[in-house]
Amino acid sequence: MLWTPDAPPDGGMFSAGEIVEVEGRPGEWELMKPGPGPGVWTVESARLEDRVSAKVSVSALQRLADAPHIRRGDLVMQRYPEQERAAVVGAVVRLGQWVAVKSYTLPDGGVCQALDSVDRLEVVTAEQLAAAIRLDVVHGTHVGRIVQAVVTARAGQFRVVCRCAPGAGEICRNGRKVTWCPSLDSAHQLWDWHVSGHAVGSVA
């Protein structure tokens, strides 16, 4: 479930999940929830373990010049067009660089947690994921998929993969270059061209 922050006590100047500095307190702090009382935030030390909670005045909060662009509760994907799996951010900490603790549900219903560099992540919505086309395609011994990209400049385009192709299985027409199709129709045409025997699968 995505984390829904309460209304901020400062007219929207700061928001829950933001990581800031707090005057008079060492380290970096995550804004958890407003209050108690007006002009006050409950904050937690932004680290993986031994997090400490405190109540601080809004006037003591200072923005970070390099604050991460994602925060607790965000739905994220790795910033590669081939990515299909999204994860929910549980916390963001600095480990030399900004790192997100993210979790996702496995096919068997289990939950997996992983650390990932914030620079490799892009925020997406559940609606984007639900709208992305994922089609299984089969023709004789050819078993493949047509998959629509969700993130990067390739968002909305399609790649076609087949189990008979080596490596990642991308079907290509241009040597080792992955062929991205601008429409679902053109993706189906690429699949038809592949299974007709004129193509050789290739890795990007």
Side-chain angles (χ1 to χ4, degrees), residues 146-164:
I146 296 175
V147 183
Q148 190 174 27
V150 176
V151 295
T152 78
R154 296 290 187 185
Q157 298 183 33
F158 298 83
R159 66 196 279 257
V160 185
V161 298
C162 185
R163 196 168 62 186
C164 75

Side-chain angles (χ1 to χ4, degrees), residues 41-63:
W41 273 98
T42 298
V43 300
E44 285 187 8
S45 47
R47 56 193 185 210
L48 280 178
E49 299 176 344
D50 302 322
R51 291 171 68 102
V52 176
S53 180
K55 310 274 191 302
V56 300
S57 168
V58 170
S59 61
L61 303 180
Q62 299 174 3
R63 280 204 163 84

